[in-house]
Amino acid sequence: MKRTKRFLAASLCALMLAGCGGVSKEVSSTCTAEMPNAGLVMSAVIKAPSEDAEISSIDFKFEMPFAAIREAAGDAAADLSDSEVKSIVESQEDAYVSTITTMLGVDAADITTEVTDSALNMEISMKDFDKIRTLFGVEEDQKMIYKDIVSDAESNGFTCE
């Protein structure tokens, strides 16, 4: 009898734990776009507690090839080699991070950069969306619902998976 009670208690605990785990399943999509002319690749990992919930975080990733940086800099940088652009980018890394912290209202600790032999890679983790709302004209009382954000990204040329 004791074994039966223990088995039933263990089974009940397992069912409760399994049930609790299924109630709130986090959803996540990675939306990616490439600017073909510049070769710039941007992706955003969008997370929320569920499809119909407000987003909980967005992690942006940018891959900026030195060719794209040269193009953005204009004629003054047109003749620079990748190694020269890399040197300039490395010397300006802190300035890029400072600009992003001011522009998006994120902490410097939430930004990581990596300079490779051919590109600047930057990751930005966002959990506070006040600046994003301002930049994209989203009203303060308007909810940023996961499925709507993903749908908007897809309608603006991003591929979301």
Side-chain angles (χ1 to χ4, degrees), residues 33 35 39-44 59-65 100 103-104 112-114 119-124 126 158:
M35 299 173 104
L40 174 70
V41 177
M42 180 184 130
S43 65
D59 294 332
F60 292 101
K61 294 180 182 181
F62 299 92
E63 181 183 332
M64 296 170 268
I100 296 296
M103 190 171 85
L104 297 179
T112 58
T113 59
E114 175 190 22
L120 168 63
N121 298 318
M122 185 176 287
E123 294 184 23
I124 305 164
M126 299 197 63
F158 283 78

Side-chain angles (χ1 to χ4, degrees), residues 29-36 40-46 58-63 136 148-161:
S29 289
T30 300
C31 300
T32 305
E34 183 173 347
M35 299 173 104
L40 174 70
V41 177
M42 180 184 130
S43 65
V45 178
I46 304 165
I58 302 177
D59 294 332
F60 292 101
K61 294 180 182 181
F62 299 92
E63 181 183 332
F136 295 113
D148 297 336
I149 298 296
V150 171
S151 177
D152 287 348
E154 290 174 329
S155 66
N156 283 297
F158 283 78
T159 302
C160 298
E161 300 174 354

Side-chain angles (χ1 to χ4, degrees), residues 37-87:
N37 294 344
L40 174 70
V41 177
M42 180 184 130
S43 65
V45 178
I46 304 165
K47 295 181 182 178
S50 71
E51 293 264 333
D52 296 316
E54 286 193 80
I55 56 175
S56 54
S57 69
I58 302 177
D59 294 332
F60 292 101
K61 294 180 182 181
F62 299 92
E63 181 183 332
M64 296 170 268
F66 294 149
I69 295 172
R70 269 194 296 276
E71 186 175 315
D75 292 339
D79 294 331
L80 295 177
S81 68
D82 279 357
S83 62
E84 291 171 315
V85 173
K86 179 181 179 180
S87 177

Side-chain angles (χ1 to χ4, degrees), residues 6-20:
R6 280 189 220 157
F7 176 75
L8 287 174
S11 297
L12 182 59
C13 286
L15 283 172
M16 289 174 62
L17 289 173
C20 290

